[in-house]
Amino acid sequence: MKPMIEKIPGAFSVCKVKTLSPALLAEPFVFVGKTDEELSVVCPTDRVPADTEDREDGWVCFRIAGPLDFSLIGILAPIAAVLAENKIGIFAVSTFNTDYILTKETQAEAAEKALTGAGYRFKQ
């Protein structure tokens, strides 16, 4: 059975920042990635940090219903494949519990239609 998908309300941004404010981490949806080369944040557009070096606005976020067990294989790849077949770009984020897929706002409706057509159900 395919997992249920939930659209998270609001607009999101993908940002490259210099520092991370603890206040930002209090938000319900904030994803942080840090490497030796950068500090990236995905957050609601209205909460983008002031010290952002670069940003890409206009993302919509979808959550794959979880929690997903680590022993499960092939959850994210088929969803990404459906979207790729429909020429819909994604930005994927994984957490301990589940996976999130972000698409550009201009492609969100097409993403929902493509996934529904492939047998995925959306939580209302």
Side-chain angles (χ1 to χ4, degrees):
M1 175 178 250
K2 294 180 179 180
M4 185 159 306
I5 299 173
E6 175 185 8
K7 184 176 179 182
I8 306 298
F12 287 81
S13 296
V14 179
C15 311
K16 183 177 175 182
V17 298
K18 293 180 185 177
T19 61
L20 187 61
S21 162
L24 184 62
L25 294 177
E27 294 296 323
F29 292 98
V30 175
F31 306 96
V32 178
K34 183 183 181 310
T35 69
D36 62 332
E37 296 180 343
E38 67 176 297
L39 177 59
S40 293
V41 175
V42 178
C43 64
T45 300
D46 61 356
R47 297 293 189 254
V48 169
D51 70 344
T52 296
E53 295 179 321
D54 201 0
R55 68 191 272 180
E56 177 78 23
D57 296 329
W59 294 91
V60 171
C61 185
F62 298 96
R63 173 175 32 211
I64 299 169
L68 301 174
D69 189 282
F70 282 112
S71 66
L72 296 174
I73 298 170
I75 300 294
L76 186 58
I79 292 171
V82 167
L83 297 174
E85 288 167 8
N86 286 275
K87 305 212 182 318
I88 298 168
I90 67 167
F91 185 92
V93 179
S94 294
T95 65
F96 189 90
N97 281 348
T98 193
D99 299 312
Y100 294 79
I101 303 245
L102 291 96
T103 64
K104 291 301 280 188
E105 193 172 36
T106 56
Q107 296 182 309
E109 188 176 321
E112 288 186 57
K113 184 177 178 181
L115 290 168
T116 300
Y120 289 91
R121 296 171 295 129
F122 279 81
K123 184 176 179 182
Q124 300 301 323

